[in-house]
Structure formats: structure tokens, C-alpha cells
Amino acid sequence: MKSALLNPVLNKEIRLRFRSAKSFLGIAAYLGILGLISLGFIGMTLSFDYAGVFRPEESRSMFLMISMLQLALVIFITPGLTAGVISSERERQTLPILLTTAQSSSSIILSKLASSLSYLLLIVFASAPLYMIVFLFGGISPVSILASFALYVFTMLVVGSIGVLMSTLIRRTILAMVTTYSVAFFLTGGIAVIAMMLTNFNYAYYSQGTDYIWPYVFASVNIPVMFFSVFEGSVMQELQTMAGTSFSPWITFFIFYGVIIAGCLLIAVRKLRPRMKTKGKPAEKMG
Amino acid sequence: MIETVNLTKKYGAFTALDDLNLTVSEGTVFGFVGQNGAGKSTTFQILATLMAPTYGTAYINGLEVTKDPEKVRRVIGYMPDFFGVYDQFKASEYLDFYGSSYGLSQRERSEVIPQLLELVNLSHKHDSYVDLLSRGMKQRLCLARSLIHDPKVLILDEPASGLDPRARIEMREILKELKTMGKTIIISSHILPELAEMCDEIGVIDHGKLIATGSVSDIQEQLQQQKEIVVTVSRELEKSVRFFEDDPDVINVQKGPNGTIQFGYKGSDEKQQVLLKKAVLDDIPLLSFRPIEKNLEDVFMEITKEVEKA
């Protein structure tokens, strides 16, 4: 544990990241945007309320809006932070030297991911005081807040692993970034759209009472839908009823993304350095 | 200490390394010379475990690079031909990071870093950001970095490339010092005379093939199969030309200005003595008889041109 915390690559990444003023400006900008939106929401609600009161149900709506917005920002920022971790070292020509050190491939990959995510975690946790505004007005339980933060971390891991894999496989940072954004947007927006479209083709379920599982399957592997279901459980319950199953969508969700995280990191570790195995020398041609 | 066995690297139909067999003994400074694209960097990248050979293998300190790459990395210090640095680090932090990457303790690092900075004449830049160092200083810092874990073998790919003459000399002096420390060094350059000064042995590579290997004088002998001789006569130029053309070992006789005659000579040193004696006895009015000393650069250019033609 101690050696993992004192990992040189992680140590270097964190030192270099926080030596730049850009990092702090990034946090300030992020909190500024979230703060403006929160205060704007409160201001607008108060201006439209005849009694000038901010009610618990409005506080809950505000919380949902900030949470979904924060999730969108996490999905949007993570590729930018992770899809260049290896390819940028390659572009700066520092990678060959790093690869000839005694650091293992897994240590390099995991440290790079951890350092990028630690910055993102700092951003997300720095926004915690904004969330506490809802406690002033009520309407949300602390468990919901904890669950939403846990899902942010999990989402970062999913998108971050994809970013690190693309950064390892694709030589140019810009291409790695575009690919990561494409995959991340498909997993979040794309699958959500597919799930919604499939929900519209539910004639069989309503006309013949046949189980219709596909919207449930797609929704249970979609991050925004599952995130929303933390606060509005009825969404998934309805899809479960349609599918005729009581199987928890969270199991499908964690298995699906657990496999993606593990698969991406495993491939990245294996592809970071060349396989040194050689072919046997071909037989000399006769004659 | 370093051995390559039938080392071959192919990129599709292109063969970058062709059955390279090379042996570098312990404590030797081995110069690897060849034109750009000859296969030097490919060889070094395979030795540094950054690239797998297509066929063949290489051993460093008895460890096979294709089977024990992790162990190989601990005994080598590698300096690539082109490299980047972490600009936001100070010189000492840069070395500290690599020291910790090799598992050196804080105490070991704090002892070795000042010594290395002194070795590469950068003690005064201890707290300078790497970004602010000159190219020559960055090259020296990278060399210090490759020494941080006290490797037995140094693989230096064109360490003096792009440096001004002064920085080249400084780099050469550091390498001489490393030689006295008993390191086995394999160093590449496309400039043969540059290596000749500091290397015990040299290998010449062209189009992925090792075309000559040995000490500097061996190489000169292997590559220089034909001498060039310049003769100056005071008069009777035509008669003198005919005299030299009649010798079976003389080829390509050419008349020059002011009574000079230049020709190639295939014979031994003894036969050359006989030719000179005969010229004197035949009353050739010799003013001078002088073999041209070709420098290593000329020999290298000649031989690589021949290989290219072939």
C-alpha cells in the first residue's frame, strides 16, 4: 500500500500537474460555472414564486439538475485528462526513457490513471459545498448525495480506463481523444437513445402481455439512466416490469462496466511495451 | 557483456537489420558507426528492450533481452538519439524521479544525484528548471539520468548529435571518464573519426549489415584495401607515367599538374619498396613518392558508397 502511494510515476504526475497554474484555474472555472448555475436556479425560482419561497421540492429539482450537469461534466472532462497520458509522453519523446526504467507496465498505467482521476476527484469534491446548499432547503437525503458521488467516481474509472487504453493504442493524442469521446458519448448518450427508442417499440408487451426485455437491458448499462434512477427509482422499476424480471439492474451495470474497466486496463498494460518474443528463424531456402 | 546473435528486424519487405552478429566484451567502449538509416538505432532499441527483433536475439550481461527484459532494464542505461525531458522539473528533481523509478531509496538518491551532476558538470544547475537548460546541458543531464542506477552497460544513441563543438568535446570528456569507471559502453554515431578517439573497438554497419568490426586500425586496414600514391617528377612526365603503368600492381594512373602522377596501388608494403627502388634505378626523376593517408572519414565514405552501389 505504502509503495503504491509512493509510486514514482504517480508522484511525478501529481507534482507536475499541480505545479501548473492551469490546474487551479481549471478548478476555479469549474466551480464558478456550477456556482453560477446553482445561484441562477435559486434566483430564477425565487423570482417566479409568488411568495418568494424556495421549497424543498424545488431544492430537489435543483439537486437533480446540478447532479446531472456534474455527471455530464465528468463524462466530458475525463477523456481530456486521460486520453493523452501515454500518447503525450510518446509525442514529447519521454516514453522510451520511461519504458527502460524498472517501473512495471501496470505501475505506469495505473499511476497515470490514478493521477488524472485524482485531479478530477479534487474538482468533483471541491464542488461538495455547492451540494450542501440543498441541505439548507431539504428534499434530498445524504445517502443520495453519497450515492451520486460514488457514481461519479465509478464513471471516471470507466471513461478514464477507456481513455488510457486509447492513449496507449493510438500514437497521436488528438486521435486518442476523439476516439475516447466517441466511445464515451456512445456509452452515455448513444445507449440512452437506443433504450428510449426501444421503449417505443413495446406494442407486443401492451397488446399481448409478452415480456419485453431490451429497454431494460440497455438502460441498465447506461450511466446517465442508472444515475437518474438513484433519485427516481420508478424509471427502472417500470422497465423491470416490462421485462418481467426482478433482477437488479445494478448487478448488470457493475458487471458490464467492471469488465470494461478491467479489460481496458489489462490491454493497456499488455500493449504499453512491445512483446519481446520473436519468431523462429525461417528455414534457409534450398537451391 | 553484449552479444547479438543473428539479430534481424524486418518492417514488411524492408530489412532494417540483417543477421547482425556482434560481441562487445566487458569494459569495452564500442563505437557503432553507420549512415542515417543504417540500423544503429534499431539495434539499440532492441538492446534497450523497446523493440522486439523479428528473428535472432541479444544478450546483455548474460541476460537474453527477449526473455528477461525486466532484468535487462536494471543493468542498462539507455540514452536515445531523440528524447524529451519533463520541462517543469528542476535538474535534481528530474534525476530524483528516475532514481525512484529504479527503486533507489531517498538516502541513495540524495547521495548519488550531486555526484552525477558533478560528473556531467551541472552541479551549478542543480535547482534550474530543465526547460531553461541549453541543448548540450540537456544531453548531459540525460546522460546523468542513464547512470542513476549505476548500470553496467550504457547504450548511447548519438549522444553528441546536434551539439556545438564545445559541447561535443565536453561530452567526449565525460565519456572518457565513464570508460575509466569500467562501464561497458556501446555508442553510435554517423561520424567515424568522432568515435575513433574514444572507442576501443568499432563496428561499421550499413543497410542493416555489419561490414567491418575491430580496433580503429583494424577497421582502417579492413576498409582500405587499396592505397593511393602520389609521385612528383621534375621532367620526363610521359616516360614516368609509362614506367608506373607497366607495374602489374599499379592501377588507374592519372597525370596531375606540376609533374604529379597519382595512381592506385594493390601491392604489399614490400612490393611498394621494390617499385620505388626500381624507379630510382631506371632514372625516373623523382622529387617525391608519397602514399596518401586516407582518414577514417574518407574510408568510411568509400566503403559505404561501394555497398550502396552493390
Side-chain angles (χ1 to χ4, degrees), chain B residues 10 29 41 47 73 96 102 137 148 177 286 291 303 305:
Chain B
K10 289 179 186 251
V29 180
S41 294
L47 292 176
R73 281 177 210 126
D96 189 73
Y102 282 104
M137 287 176 179
I148 191 87
E177 200 162 334
L286 290 173
I303 194 78
K305 203 162 45 181

Side-chain angles (χ1 to χ4, degrees), chain B residues 280-303:
Chain B
V280 173
L281 291 174
D282 281 14
D283 285 333
I284 300 295
L286 290 173
L287 288 176
S288 69
F289 183 95
R290 182 169 55 88
I292 299 174
E293 281 290 320
K294 283 188 188 171
N295 64 29
L296 280 168
E297 190 97 297
D298 297 332
V299 176
F300 173 66
M301 288 304 289
E302 225 166 74
I303 194 78

Side-chain angles (χ1 to χ4, degrees), chain B residues 1 38 62 105 163 220 252 269 290 293:
Chain B
M1 184 55 90
S105 67
L163 298 184
Q220 216 157 359
N252 195 22
D269 287 353
R290 182 169 55 88
E293 281 290 320

Side-chain angles (χ1 to χ4, degrees), chain B residues 247-307:
Chain B
D247 191 287
D249 288 324
V250 169
I251 51 165
N252 195 22
V253 180
Q254 287 178 333
K255 282 184 276 185
N258 306 321
T260 56
I261 305 166
Q262 185 167 343
F263 54 84
Y265 190 71
K266 297 186 290 182
S268 63
D269 287 353
E270 289 73 29
K271 278 186 169 180
Q272 189 184 312
Q273 282 172 4
V274 172
L275 175 68
L276 175 59
K277 196 173 173 183
K278 193 166 172 260
V280 173
L281 291 174
D282 281 14
D283 285 333
I284 300 295
L286 290 173
L287 288 176
S288 69
F289 183 95
R290 182 169 55 88
I292 299 174
E293 281 290 320
K294 283 188 188 171
N295 64 29
L296 280 168
E297 190 97 297
D298 297 332
V299 176
F300 173 66
M301 288 304 289
E302 225 166 74
I303 194 78
T304 49
K305 203 162 45 181
E306 277 170 25
V307 171

